[in-house]
Amino acid sequence: MAATTLKMYRARTMADALAEVKRDLGKDAVILHTRAYRVGGIWGLGSKPMVEITASSGEPREARVRTRPTAAVRAYAAAGSVSAVPRAPRAVEPEPVFETRSPVAVAPEPEPRPASDVRAPIEAELRSLKRMVGEVLQTTRRTAGAPASTGSDVLFAQYLTLLENEVAGEIADEVVAKVRRELSDEEQGNPVAVRKAMLKQLAALVPAAGEVPRAGRVEDGRPLTVALVGPTGVGKTTTIAKLAAAYKLRQGKRVALVTSDTYRIAAVEQLRTYAEIIGVPLRVVMSPEDMAAACGALRDYDLILIDTAGRSARDGARVEELKAFVEAANPHETHLVLSGTSSEGVLMETARRFAAVGPNRVIFTKLDEAVNYGVLLNVASRVSLRLSFVTTGQEVPDHIEAGRGERLAKLVLPMGSVA
Ligand code: GDP
């Protein structure tokens, strides 16, 4: 892979800065970050606007750094001068980046996901299957002498939606049983009332962290120290960059990064790029002793975010090694990072393997690429780790949200899916 150069360009206008990027790095330059600010003047009077562009030469690092190009950059890129980093497809509409002053705001409900050409036949098949299962169960119910009340039918339709979205049978049964107890016969005939009650029960199954962690000094006098653990490729580094950017740029906190992921040179390089762009220090540690020393040296910061090596779950020795690194950091929070694109079996096995490291939070990444949200609900309800964040795309820092049970609940029972 050809080496890429990361450089910063400053000029009075976006056009001038972009022209400079193009002159210096050629037309394959990739815009990673843009910023507008003012220089000079007194108390804002007489200051002059400036723009700053961070760009890299050659191929983007496999879309690792995806800050949102401004409209001007996109327009310029569209004209074929430079390539703005492409935006990730958005299946899940992002909610606003979290705020520390919790309680976390309840965000608007996402639109139902559009069916792609590939999904359409599968969805049609599922619908007909759902109809068939419905008919069979209705017949069984009638045969068994159960009252075929309209209320039960509404509940039943939503029950089938849960199953269709891979919510485990026993979880769906439990939810329906509780809703049935909670609602009157009349209410059970009202799809809106039924969905509301179902969502409440589903959300209650997901233990959420509740509040976004507050960066700053913790009772023990240390900065809030947060470690992310999980398999390679699930999005740990990207999530750390999102958190670092959100805390530093949006909340003005003093953030420092530490990584022990030294197995892959690319991983360190990736985090270093983020650290440079966001403007936070990065310490690379090679041993648990290094880790303890690095955390001690960063004691004046508000937040220490620790990235770890993912390969450690492969065998027992590696888990022990990861555990030693994490213990040396003595984090206040250890978040297990799980990818929304994995199967339930893989997720549960991963949770089992990483349990030795002692995680106390879980993050679900790649919700935008997840196929069945029910799987995530099942896992969230079984791993007994509180859901801290979910990520919904590759863009730093936008595609991250505080983890909330309601969010998962609405994904498994979307508004458009119930009659
Ligand atoms: P790590 O090995 O766990 O540190 O994973 P990385 O942070 O390197 O991420 C692996 C890949 O997943 C990268 O291409 C990221 O851009 C991508 N990624 C991370 N988070 C998300 C997400 O929420 N959605 C999608 N679609 N991709 C993501």
Side-chain angles (χ1 to χ4, degrees):
M1 188 175 52
T4 54
T5 327
L6 190 76
K7 293 177 85 171
M8 233 174 229
Y9 300 84
R10 293 188 182 92
R12 281 280 145 81
T13 67
M14 186 58 82
D16 287 350
L18 285 164
E20 184 63 26
V21 172
K22 192 182 160 198
R23 232 183 345 265
D24 196 30
L25 299 179
K27 69 179 185 46
D28 289 334
V30 176
I31 305 298
L32 297 169
H33 187 68
T34 62
R35 178 167 83 95
Y37 60 102
R38 300 187 76 87
V39 289
I42 302 168
W43 301 113
L45 291 174
S47 62
K48 297 217 162 50
M50 292 288 289
V51 297
E52 180 186 281
I53 295 182
T54 309
S56 83
S57 61
E59 284 295 296
R61 290 151 201 265
E62 213 249 304
R64 279 190 172 125
V65 181
R66 286 179 189 253
T67 50
R68 191 195 296 272
T70 60
V73 172
R74 282 201 293 276
Y76 202 81
S81 301
V82 291
S83 51
V85 179
R87 308 265 318 258
R90 278 186 184 172
V92 176
E93 268 307 305
E95 297 189 358
V97 174
F98 58 83
E99 301 162 13
T100 37
R101 268 175 220 116
S102 24
V104 178
V106 176
E109 200 163 324
E111 288 297 310
R113 305 203 310 169
S116 70
D117 289 350
V118 182
R119 289 178 53 146
I122 301 172
E123 283 179 352
E125 203 164 309
L126 272 175
R127 269 196 301 277
S128 96
L129 207 60
K130 178 176 160 178
R131 244 192 332 272
M132 273 161 54
V133 173
E135 278 161 19
V136 171
L137 291 182
Q138 298 269 29
T139 313
T140 315
R141 248 181 345 176
R142 274 196 293 274
T143 317
S149 78
T150 324
S152 299
D153 289 345
V154 171
L155 204 55
F156 189 64
Q158 300 198 18
Y159 171 77
L160 289 181
T161 302
L162 296 186
L163 295 186
E164 206 177 88
N165 285 332
E166 304 260 327
V167 172
E170 71 271 17
I171 293 182
D173 285 349
E174 188 189 319
V175 166
V176 167
K178 285 187 176 152
V179 170
R180 209 190 283 276
R181 278 199 295 275
E182 188 184 316
L183 298 185
S184 66
D185 278 357
E186 195 186 327
E187 284 168 329
Q188 287 181 36
N190 177 346
V192 176
V194 169
R195 179 166 180 268
K196 195 170 162 218
M198 292 274 249
L199 289 177
K200 195 178 91 189
Q201 294 300 339
L202 288 165
L205 292 167
V206 181
E211 292 191 356
V212 168
R214 235 168 255 230
R217 212 146 292 278
V218 183
E219 280 148 24
D220 59 11
R222 296 184 299 138
L224 179 67
T225 305
V226 175
L228 264 55
V229 300
T232 302
V234 291
K236 291 184 297 301
T237 307
T238 314
T239 304
I240 291 223
K242 289 171 183 172
L243 291 171
Y247 276 103
K248 160 116 203 273
L249 306 177
R250 302 229 160 111
Q251 297 174 20
K253 298 291 180 187
R254 285 167 52 77
V255 180
L257 308 182
V258 177
T259 182
S260 64
D261 190 3
T262 50
Y263 290 108
R264 296 178 302 141
I265 292 173
V268 175
E269 197 198 327
Q270 180 191 356
L271 196 56
R272 202 186 299 285
T273 308
Y274 282 128
E276 278 168 15
I277 292 173
I278 300 164
V280 295
L282 167 69
R283 298 218 170 203
V284 181
V285 298
M286 308 296 287
S287 66
E289 294 72 34
D290 277 1
M291 175 69 88
C295 291
L298 296 169
R299 64 183 164 272
D300 289 336
Y301 285 79
D302 296 318
L303 174 67
I304 301 177
L305 294 168
I306 301 170
D307 200 3
T308 57
R311 274 172 44 200
S312 303
R314 292 264 172 248
D315 59 57
R318 291 228 187 270
V319 171
E320 281 309 306
E321 194 182 310
L322 172 66
K323 195 172 161 209
F325 273 100
V326 172
E327 277 177 1
N330 191 16
H332 300 101
E333 295 180 4
T334 302
H335 300 234
L336 173 63
V337 185
L338 296 176
S339 167
T341 61
S342 301
S343 69
E344 188 166 336
V346 167
L347 294 177
M348 289 309 293
E349 176 60 14
T350 306
R352 196 187 61 74
R353 283 173 187 266
F354 278 89
V357 186
N360 51 8
R361 302 276 192 282
V362 64
I363 296 176
F364 288 138
T365 58
K366 309 193 187 186
L367 253 60
D368 53 312
E369 289 183 353
V371 179
N372 285 304
Y373 298 118
V375 165
L376 298 181
L377 189 106
N378 300 341
V379 172
S381 72
R382 285 171 184 158
V383 291
S384 55
L385 296 174
R386 291 197 277 151
L387 181 65
S388 54
F389 296 102
V390 296
T391 76
T392 55
Q394 293 176 304
E395 278 184 31
V396 176
D398 290 342
H399 286 161
I400 188 162
E401 299 167 20
R404 288 180 295 111
E406 294 81 7
R407 178 77 153 125
L408 278 192
K410 285 175 184 169
L411 288 170
V412 292
L413 199 60
M415 192 145 57
S417 74
V418 295

